[in-house]
Amino acid sequence: MADYAAPVRDIAFTLSTISDIDDIVALPGFDHVDTDMVDGVLDEAARFFGEVFAPTNEVGDTQGAVFTDGGVVTPDAFKEAWAKLLDAGWISVTGSPEFGGHGFPKTIGLAISEMMTSANLAFSLCPMLTGSAITLLTRHGDDALRDAYLENLITGVWTGTMVLTEPEAGSDVGAVRTKATPNEDGTYAIDGVKIYITWGDHDLADNIIHLVLARTPGAPAGTKGISLFLVPKFLLDDDGTPGTRNDIETVSIEHKLGIHGSPTCVLSFESATGYLVGEENKGMAYMFTMMNQARLEVGLEGLAVAERAYQHAATYAKERKQGRAAGSTETSPIIDHADVRRMLMTMKAYTEAMRGLVYDAVAAEDRHLRSADPAVADAARDRLALLTPITKSWCTDRGVEVASIGIQVHGGMGFVEETGAAQFYRDARITPIYEGTNGIQALDLVMRKLPMHEGRVVAAYLDEIEGIDAALASAGEGVSDLRRELAAAVATVRKATDWLNSSDDVNARMAGATPYQEMLGTLAGGYYLARQAIAAIDLGLEDPWMAAKVATARFYAVNLLPKVHGLLDATIAGPDLLFAVDDDLIGASS
Amino acid sequence: MADYAAPVRDIAFTLSTISDIDDIVALPGFDHVDTDMVDGVLDEAARFFGEVFAPTNEVGDTQGAVFTDGGVVTPDAFKEAWAKLLDAGWISVTGSPEFGGHGFPKTIGLAISEMMTSANLAFSLCPMLTGSAITLLTRHGDDALRDAYLENLITGVWTGTMVLTEPEAGSDVGAVRTKATPNEDGTYAIDGVKIYITWGDHDLADNIIHLVLARTPGAPAGTKGISLFLVPKFLLDDDGTPGTRNDIETVSIEHKLGIHGSPTCVLSFESATGYLVGEENKGMAYMFTMMNQARLEVGLEGLAVAERAYQHAATYAKERKQGRAAGSTETSPIIDHADVRRMLMTMKAYTEAMRGLVYDAVAAEDRHLRSADPAVADAARDRLALLTPITKSWCTDRGVEVASIGIQVHGGMGFVEETGAAQFYRDARITPIYEGTNGIQALDLVMRKLPMHEGRVVAAYLDEIEGIDAALASAGEGVSDLRRELAAAVATVRKATDWLNSSDDVNARMAGATPYQEMLGTLAGGYYLARQAIAAIDLGLEDPWMAAKVATARFYAVNLLPKVHGLLDATIAGPDLLFAVDDDLIGASS
């Protein structure tokens, strides 16, 4: 199992060139943060997650979380790493100082999350979902709930979960049937069975705070009749410490393809005591307030697993010798073979392109939440709304692709589990599914995000991409291929965008949603790498690291970006061909 | 775990429209075979593999082959299915009648292999590799070896293996170090450690016949000094039955990502007795005579796992209800949602396209081996040579892609192992690796196959594809999109082909090999579906099955075929961008 060394330089460069971290730390509320501090934080986090978390990844996979009569048991290595994580305070980086957090921008929190997720994706889901619970409570909980629960969540003494899915309510959350019956004391009795509850039970913390979607008696049908409840594993005593066990049974955990270290629970609520968060019937609206955050974080998972798979494959390709590369008189490391090099460059280019997209989106979130200028905040909100489905879907699809390439680089060794490459391929496969499947993201992109402000949000984004043409022209012949390919790609994406935005046919737009999403993601990746290439040229190509940035952007532009042209026809074809074959001729009888 | 129902109608249609099975059974040596018989064989095989083999797939994965002190133990269900397979005679379909086989064309054998492989990929590898051993012995063994071993291999009483790989000799077979020292009695003492030996040990048969690559003393370096030996697990007594155990130790079996039912062995040969096959130092040349066959069979695996994953996903998508499709007033089966429909149509179109490619290639093999007309036989040999790397690589990459889509169709359920979709994703992942990685296939395609007869073989294939334009034009407006897209695609592929064939720069051609291979495979898939669409129109679209064939070809043409345009720039870019980033900036330090 190869080590993980956080790519601190690329993270810092992306924070600087894409997120504009100087601008972020200058936002209101971040007076205690400055750019120099950021560099120190990145170095320290890199050390911590490389040394403490990364070594837990393999045991998390092979031993995994285990379901016992006494609840879910995690590997000992997880317990030790968790204790060190709390000690070091990494879990509290973005939390509100009012409740024990450090109050850093989300952009910096994301950089740290990237490292944690590369180090151990399965494990990282526990603080990730706790973060979602914190967001919901902070924005929608009343003072009593916030005072009782927030600090212990922010400091990681307790953990949180998101309890949405039921057997008949997956992508269609509105079908939730779990009941919430008012008790006389103002609490609610929660009854129902919930599935796919990530970290729904474990032995790392003294309490688990479930945020549960349920229906009160007589609530309207569908999404408009869903309320949000806080349901702790242990009810709090008067002194605020965990006391009586609540009536929540862990029924089982799933036997999954990957992320074995993350217990995915079936939970049965049997008149469990719950506390209403906010107002009745607004549960779905509240969920949407944390949806962007959670979807960005899943997009980040695609990036993070790709980074680790890439490092793993590169290490192997430098060590493994086989055959002679062109022009060599002795056995070559396989990194010298053109097809292996193509695989590694593809992994590198996709990973760095994803980093640009994710770090741009999270910076928009900080600006949206913090900017004192309403115009900036509003524009950032719209940008985040547009980028969220692209980030979630494109980065998770690329994460699977990069992990699969990682196996291929290893040849036969890649198929042997002990090599470690296969774990990334298995772990990555959940990311295009959860937090809204990528098909759901595509519908969100095409049906809700493209039409925003009569299409002006996406038009502005495409204008921005086109707008770097002048800088690429100034940068000279060295990037003429990059300039040419980017211009061609944005023109093709604009055709698809115009077609979708001018079509009145809902079915036609839904039919083209998925290929369009891939088009826009592929273009975005090329755009961020191009911006980084321009910055690198400004900083000076005598530094090989800067020259590599330019070469990576050019590689992407010539080898990966042109895929957008192959997706145009599928995007604008309309629904007829999708539905031209009868159901009974799809599948077994065909 | 869903059942498997062999797609008999599509197999028969492909045999008819692509392989031209009437022409195949009319070849010399197939007097005992006619087309009516073929239909009966397909139906009977479909019943057998659906009922007897398909149910063993899950236990093969969960229980798997187990390494014990007494050797490798397979699941009981495998032993029962194997006995029934031998009883039914399916294993002997293509074997020579001289040695107990039924003497059917390889094209028909492949159709049966497709069903066996869809039913249980891991299990199918045992007869598949036995088939390779049979081919080698038939063509290169002397009478004594053929008489002693062939009949028991052809009837499946014994099984065979291919023993090539060593820790330092994978893709570079020429690095083999295993020694073969002549004994006084004309046999050889074989010494060395071999890895990745598929079905290298098991408890299904009384003997295992290993075909081993090794070096005799003083042999030339590299591939020119490798000889082929037959090394049985049990030496034969004078009466021809297995007697003394040979000195071959099963050291371990690999813990793999997938195909758990197939034991992948490390074998140690310790002065084991071996018999030279053919002449010394010609081992690699002999291996090449079975290489086309084995590579086609791995391509077939891509098709077969895709077919099963597709059936599995389609069954789920018809049963699972979630949300409301556009225009529906109640909860819809997810097959009605556009993005799920797109996934299923993509699975269907790729699977049927692969079937066309594989069945065309194997028909060329029959013509090459059997045609009385030397011009036909030679043209078929060249066609097979061209199609082999494309079939192996394109079908295995698509197999992985289709299996991954299959998980996505299942949503969260797809990530739960018990659903069965994940097994296909794990099993499929080996196929782009073994029997020559897909990168090796690309080099074979571009460096050896494209230059054949000064490029005339590939030119003839592209001409043939272009040549169906007239038939598509006659077929009318209903396939105008198919006609347009196919013409555009073949023009783009011709550009890439011309560039590669006119380039003197070896490095440039190697750099473009992988994207070119994907271009040619994608085009080939569209071509076979287009031919089937033309045939379906001739047969009459009042039959919904024929109308579905046309719709599937059109779907492919609009949604998948245009990918070739996105691969052109990568193919003709040359090597500079691949090698522009220094080794030390690839991987962990970047």
Side-chain angles (χ1 to χ4, degrees):
Chain A
M1 200 76 173
D3 295 334
Y4 163 69
V8 174
R9 188 164 184 187
D10 201 60
I11 289 174
F13 189 72
T14 307
L15 286 173
S16 162
T17 56
I18 306 296
S19 306
D20 193 354
I21 193 67
D22 292 341
D23 177 64
I24 297 291
V25 299
L27 289 168
F30 299 137
D31 300 338
H32 59 303
V33 187
D34 63 43
T35 313
D36 290 343
M37 185 188 296
V38 172
D39 290 339
V41 165
L42 293 182
D43 285 338
E44 188 54 30
R47 194 197 58 73
F48 181 85
F49 290 106
E51 291 177 8
V52 177
F53 252 58
T56 66
N57 199 43
E58 187 174 359
V59 69
D61 186 55
T62 52
Q63 179 177 335
V66 178
F67 179 61
T68 72
D69 287 346
V72 173
V73 176
T74 60
D76 289 343
F78 277 34
K79 297 181 187 73
E80 291 162 23
W82 183 254
K84 289 179 185 170
L85 183 75
L86 268 54
D87 271 356
W90 292 116
I91 206 165
S92 326
V93 167
T94 60
S96 164
E98 190 187 347
F99 296 102
H102 301 308
F104 271 57
K106 287 181 181 291
T107 304
I108 295 171
L110 187 96
I112 293 162
S113 288
E114 182 192 323
M115 300 183 199
M116 183 177 352
T117 310
S118 287
N120 190 328
L121 170 58
F123 202 172
S124 76
L125 299 176
C126 184
M128 191 275 248
L129 286 157
T130 302
S132 293
I134 290 167
T135 300
L136 278 175
L137 271 186
T138 304
R139 297 196 196 165
H140 307 293
D142 60 22
D143 285 345
L145 285 181
R146 288 156 52 109
D147 289 344
Y149 293 94
L150 263 184
E151 181 161 342
N152 281 332
L153 285 169
I154 286 174
T155 55
V157 174
W158 299 341
T159 69
T161 71
M162 291 292 115
V163 184
L164 287 71
T165 304
E166 299 175 10
E168 301 307 319
S171 293
D172 181 11
V173 184
V176 155
R177 285 188 231 171
T178 294
K179 286 186 212 166
T181 314
N183 296 321
E184 292 190 355
D185 63 356
T187 65
Y188 290 75
I190 310 293
D191 286 278
V193 174
K194 294 283 189 174
I195 63 172
Y196 299 156
I197 310 308
T198 300
W199 285 91
D201 191 30
H202 61 82
D203 56 358
L204 293 179
D206 294 338
N207 209 353
I208 302 174
I209 312 306
H210 303 291
L211 287 169
V212 182
L213 292 185
R215 290 184 182 285
T216 53
T223 54
K224 290 175 184 165
I226 295 177
S227 304
L228 180 66
F229 298 89
L230 183 152
V231 190
K233 178 174 176 181
F234 292 98
L235 299 169
L236 303 190
D237 281 342
D238 291 344
D239 65 355
T241 60
T244 311
R245 174 99 189 217
N246 207 349
D247 294 313
I248 307 167
E249 186 195 353
T250 307
V251 178
S252 61
I253 68 173
E254 305 294 348
H255 172 220
K256 305 190 299 296
L257 172 62
I259 55 169
H260 297 158
S262 166
T264 303
C265 301
V266 177
L267 296 183
S268 174
F269 295 81
E270 292 149 11
S271 293
T273 300
Y275 306 92
L276 182 67
V277 177
E279 298 174 35
E280 277 191 19
N281 297 334
K282 293 201 173 170
M284 279 306 296
Y286 299 157
M287 277 292 167
F288 273 105
T289 67
M290 69 97 204
M291 205 77 96
N292 280 341
Q293 176 182 331
R295 289 181 171 179
L296 283 194
E297 281 160 345
V298 175
L300 175 72
E301 292 171 17
L303 158 63
V305 74
E307 171 67 39
R308 183 128 190 212
Y310 160 57
Q311 290 191 15
H312 199 268
T315 301
Y316 181 80
K318 291 176 191 181
E319 288 169 359
R320 169 73 175 169
K321 291 186 177 180
Q322 190 76 175
R324 289 180 192 173
S328 177
T329 55
E330 53 190 39
T331 305
S332 308
I334 61 171
I335 194 173
D336 288 350
H337 293 293
D339 84 296
V340 175
R341 195 80 169 199
R342 172 179 293 284
M343 291 193 275
L344 291 169
M345 283 302 298
T346 301
M347 298 175 89
K348 176 179 174 64
Y350 270 142
T351 302
E352 294 179 14
M354 282 189 252
R355 189 168 288 121
L357 176 55
V358 175
Y359 285 58
D360 188 29
V362 73
E365 191 171 9
D366 272 323
R367 288 191 185 92
H368 160 49
L369 294 173
R370 297 281 187 164
S371 178
D373 180 343
V376 170
D378 286 355
R381 180 198 60 215
D382 292 344
R383 185 184 190 86
L384 175 63
L386 176 69
L387 294 186
T388 295
I390 311 170
T391 305
K392 196 279 177 182
S393 63
W394 192 72
C395 295
T396 57
D397 282 340
R398 295 293 78 68
V400 173
E401 182 177 350
V402 168
S404 184
I405 296 172
I407 289 184
Q408 193 72 16
V409 169
H410 287 80
M413 287 290 288
F415 201 65
V416 174
E417 283 286 0
E418 286 79 0
T419 308
Q423 185 188 344
F424 308 128
Y425 175 76
R426 290 187 286 97
D427 284 356
R429 194 60 192 80
I430 188 59
T431 62
I433 296 172
Y434 61 18
E435 204 57 50
T437 66
N438 287 359
I440 297 283
Q441 305 299 322
L443 290 180
D444 177 50
L445 174 63
V446 166
M447 306 306 286
R448 301 179 66 236
K449 304 303 171 59
L450 287 197
M452 283 190 300
H453 302 302
E454 290 80 46
R456 288 196 301 276
V457 178
V458 66
Y461 188 65
L462 295 179
D463 289 346
E464 180 182 313
I465 296 174
E466 247 176 22
I468 66 165
D469 183 71
L472 287 170
S474 310
E477 276 304 300
V479 292
S480 61
D481 45 9
L482 172 53
R483 183 183 175 211
R484 180 189 70 235
E485 296 283 3
L486 191 67
V490 74
T492 295
V493 175
R494 204 181 278 278
K495 269 186 214 165
T497 309
D498 290 348
W499 188 91
L500 288 167
N501 266 342
S502 64
S503 170
D504 293 332
D505 181 351
V506 170
N507 289 324
R509 297 171 66 198
M510 293 200 297
T514 289
Y516 177 73
Q517 182 166 253
E518 189 177 344
M519 290 181 83
L520 196 48
T522 304
L523 175 65
Y527 165 59
Y528 294 110
L529 289 180
R531 271 176 57 185
Q532 294 199 323
I534 293 165
I537 291 167
D538 286 346
L539 290 163
L541 299 185
E542 59 282 2
D543 178 349
W545 196 91
M546 294 298 164
K549 264 287 160 193
V550 176
T552 303
R554 292 177 58 214
F555 174 86
Y556 185 100
V558 172
N559 290 277
L560 305 173
L561 183 55
K563 287 175 195 267
V564 299
H565 308 299
L567 293 162
L568 177 63
D569 288 359
T571 301
I572 65 175
D576 294 355
L577 284 176
L578 289 183
F579 292 94
V581 176
D582 290 345
D583 283 12
D584 61 357
L585 290 173
I586 292 179
S589 64
S590 74
Chain B
M1 199 75 176
D3 295 332
Y4 163 69
V8 173
R9 188 165 184 187
D10 201 60
I11 289 174
F13 188 72
T14 307
L15 286 173
S16 163
T17 57
I18 305 296
S19 306
D20 193 355
I21 193 67
D22 292 341
D23 177 64
I24 297 289
V25 299
L27 289 168
F30 299 138
D31 300 338
H32 59 302
V33 187
D34 63 44
T35 314
D36 290 344
M37 188 188 296
V38 172
D39 290 339
V41 164
L42 293 182
D43 285 338
E44 188 54 28
R47 193 197 59 72
F48 181 84
F49 290 106
E51 291 178 8
V52 177
F53 252 59
T56 66
N57 199 44
E58 187 175 0
V59 69
D61 186 56
T62 53
Q63 179 177 333
V66 178
F67 179 61
T68 72
D69 286 345
V72 173
V73 176
T74 59
D76 289 342
F78 277 34
K79 296 180 188 73
E80 291 162 23
W82 183 254
K84 288 180 186 169
L85 183 75
L86 268 53
D87 272 354
W90 291 116
I91 207 166
S92 327
V93 166
T94 60
S96 164
E98 190 188 346
F99 296 102
H102 302 308
F104 272 56
K106 286 181 181 293
T107 304
I108 295 172
L110 187 97
I112 293 163
S113 289
E114 181 192 324
M115 300 182 198
M116 183 177 351
T117 310
S118 287
N120 189 328
L121 170 58
F123 202 171
S124 76
L125 299 177
C126 185
M128 191 274 247
L129 287 157
T130 302
S132 293
I134 290 167
T135 299
L136 279 175
L137 270 187
T138 303
R139 297 197 196 164
H140 307 293
D142 59 22
D143 285 346
L145 285 180
R146 289 155 51 110
D147 289 345
Y149 293 97
L150 264 184
E151 181 161 341
N152 280 332
L153 285 169
I154 285 174
T155 55
V157 175
W158 300 340
T159 69
T161 71
M162 291 291 115
V163 184
L164 287 69
T165 304
E166 299 174 10
E168 301 307 320
S171 294
D172 181 11
V173 183
V176 155
R177 285 190 231 170
T178 294
K179 286 187 214 165
T181 313
N183 296 320
E184 292 191 354
D185 63 356
T187 65
Y188 290 75
I190 310 293
D191 286 278
V193 174
K194 294 283 190 173
I195 63 171
Y196 299 157
I197 310 307
T198 300
W199 285 92
D201 191 30
H202 60 83
D203 56 358
L204 293 180
D206 294 337
N207 207 354
I208 302 173
I209 312 306
H210 303 291
L211 287 169
V212 181
L213 292 184
R215 290 183 183 285
T216 53
T223 54
K224 290 174 185 165
I226 295 178
S227 304
L228 180 66
F229 298 89
L230 183 153
V231 189
K233 178 176 176 181
F234 291 98
L235 299 170
L236 303 190
D237 281 341
D238 291 344
D239 65 355
T241 60
T244 310
R245 175 100 188 216
N246 207 348
D247 293 313
I248 308 166
E249 189 196 350
T250 307
V251 178
S252 61
I253 67 173
E254 305 294 348
H255 172 220
K256 305 190 301 295
L257 172 63
I259 55 167
H260 297 158
S262 167
T264 304
C265 301
V266 177
L267 296 183
S268 175
F269 294 80
E270 292 150 10
S271 294
T273 300
Y275 306 92
L276 181 67
V277 177
E279 298 173 35
E280 278 191 18
N281 297 334
K282 295 202 171 169
M284 279 306 295
Y286 299 157
M287 277 292 168
F288 273 106
T289 67
M290 71 97 207
M291 206 77 97
N292 280 341
Q293 178 183 329
R295 289 180 172 180
L296 283 194
E297 280 160 345
V298 175
L300 175 72
E301 291 170 17
L303 157 63
V305 74
E307 171 68 39
R308 184 128 190 211
Y310 161 56
Q311 290 190 17
H312 199 267
T315 300
Y316 182 80
K318 292 176 190 179
E319 288 169 358
R320 171 73 175 169
K321 291 185 178 182
Q322 190 75 176
R324 289 181 192 172
S328 177
T329 55
E330 54 190 39
T331 306
S332 308
I334 61 171
I335 194 174
D336 289 349
H337 292 295
D339 83 296
V340 175
R341 196 80 170 198
R342 172 179 291 285
M343 291 193 274
L344 291 169
M345 283 302 297
T346 301
M347 298 176 89
K348 177 179 174 67
Y350 271 142
T351 303
E352 295 179 13
M354 282 188 252
R355 188 168 288 123
L357 175 55
V358 176
Y359 285 58
D360 189 28
V362 73
E365 191 172 8
D366 273 323
R367 288 191 186 92
H368 159 49
L369 294 172
R370 297 280 188 165
S371 179
D373 180 342
V376 171
D378 286 355
R381 180 199 59 213
D382 292 344
R383 186 184 190 87
L384 175 63
L386 176 69
L387 294 185
T388 296
I390 311 170
T391 305
K392 195 281 176 180
S393 62
W394 191 72
C395 295
T396 57
D397 282 341
R398 296 292 79 69
V400 172
E401 182 176 350
V402 168
S404 184
I405 296 172
I407 289 183
Q408 194 71 17
V409 169
H410 288 80
M413 287 289 288
F415 202 65
V416 173
E417 284 285 1
E418 285 79 0
T419 307
Q423 185 187 344
F424 307 129
Y425 175 75
R426 290 187 287 98
D427 284 356
R429 194 61 193 79
I430 188 59
T431 62
I433 296 172
Y434 62 18
E435 205 55 49
T437 65
N438 287 0
I440 296 284
Q441 305 300 322
L443 290 180
D444 177 50
L445 174 63
V446 167
M447 306 306 286
R448 300 180 67 234
K449 303 304 172 60
L450 286 197
M452 284 191 300
H453 302 302
E454 290 79 46
R456 288 196 301 276
V457 177
V458 65
Y461 188 66
L462 296 179
D463 288 347
E464 179 183 314
I465 296 174
E466 245 175 26
I468 67 166
D469 184 71
L472 288 170
S474 308
E477 275 305 299
V479 291
S480 61
D481 45 9
L482 173 53
R483 184 183 175 211
R484 180 189 70 236
E485 296 283 4
L486 191 67
V490 75
T492 296
V493 174
R494 204 181 277 278
K495 270 187 214 165
T497 308
D498 291 347
W499 189 90
L500 288 168
N501 266 342
S502 64
S503 169
D504 293 331
D505 181 350
V506 170
N507 290 324
R509 297 171 66 197
M510 292 199 298
T514 289
Y516 177 74
Q517 182 166 253
E518 189 177 345
M519 290 181 83
L520 196 48
T522 304
L523 175 65
Y527 166 59
Y528 294 110
L529 289 180
R531 270 174 58 184
Q532 293 199 324
I534 293 166
I537 291 168
D538 286 345
L539 288 163
L541 299 185
E542 60 282 1
D543 178 350
W545 196 91
M546 294 298 164
K549 264 285 159 193
V550 176
T552 303
R554 292 177 58 213
F555 174 85
Y556 185 100
V558 172
N559 291 277
L560 305 173
L561 184 54
K563 287 174 195 267
V564 299
H565 307 299
L567 293 161
L568 177 63
D569 289 359
T571 301
I572 64 176
D576 294 355
L577 284 176
L578 290 183
F579 292 94
V581 177
D582 291 344
D583 283 13
D584 61 357
L585 290 173
I586 291 179
S589 63
S590 73

